[in-house]
Amino acid sequence: MKRDDHIKHIESLVAMLTEWAQWQRAYAPKLGYPSRSLTCYSEGSQDFESLCDAVDGQTFATVDACVQDLVPAQRAAVMRRYGIAAVFRFPRDNYEQCLLMAHEALSKALPRKGVML
């Protein structure tokens, strides 16, 4: 892969992870059926925005699974960089190195899971 292509690939990954972090902050699972439902609730037909939101949710769930599969130091670096959790410390001052390694690992893992960058 050429250097310019690699840089664009990593920029796409950073954009995807930024959107994933926003999804992480706003995530609220839907549990059960509505409180006043007489029968099982069915979504029926959905509008285009609902379908896009559903696809985004599935994509970000896949991204989340890939982030969780990283080694702990790399996962902590990603969580710190994208504002999910800021309680991690890097006593060896290797935060940047861990983040770069995490980006490299994610740029290989996400396409294998069907997430295009």
Side-chain angles (χ1 to χ4, degrees):
M1 185 180 289
K2 290 196 261 181
R3 180 170 165 76
D4 291 338
D5 292 339
H6 183 70
I7 290 172
K8 288 179 183 178
H9 193 70
I10 296 298
E11 287 174 350
S12 301
L13 175 66
V14 169
M16 173 71 74
L17 289 172
T18 302
E19 292 176 18
W20 162 77
Q22 292 172 350
W23 174 80
Q24 258 317 66
R25 288 185 206 98
Y27 179 71
K30 294 179 183 177
L31 301 174
Y33 295 104
S35 62
R36 297 180 187 238
S37 175
L38 296 176
T39 61
C40 290
Y41 179 73
S42 174
E43 295 262 339
S45 63
Q46 296 179 336
D47 62 345
F48 183 72
E49 290 296 321
S50 298
L51 292 174
C52 288
D53 290 342
V55 170
D56 286 346
Q58 291 172 349
T59 301
F60 294 137
T62 303
V63 171
D64 190 52
C66 288
V67 169
Q68 296 304 319
D69 287 344
L70 293 171
V71 296
Q74 293 175 4
R75 182 173 53 240
V78 169
M79 297 286 192
R80 179 177 172 188
R81 162 60 179 89
Y82 295 99
I84 303 299
V87 296
F88 303 107
R89 294 188 328 185
F90 293 84
R92 296 182 184 154
D93 290 330
N94 63 344
Y95 164 71
E96 291 86 7
Q97 181 185 9
C98 287
L99 185 61
L100 287 173
M101 289 173 22
H103 281 159
E104 289 295 326
L106 287 172
S107 70
K108 294 175 185 169
L110 287 173
R112 280 186 275 169
K113 300 276 185 167
V115 177
M116 301 309 295
L117 298 175

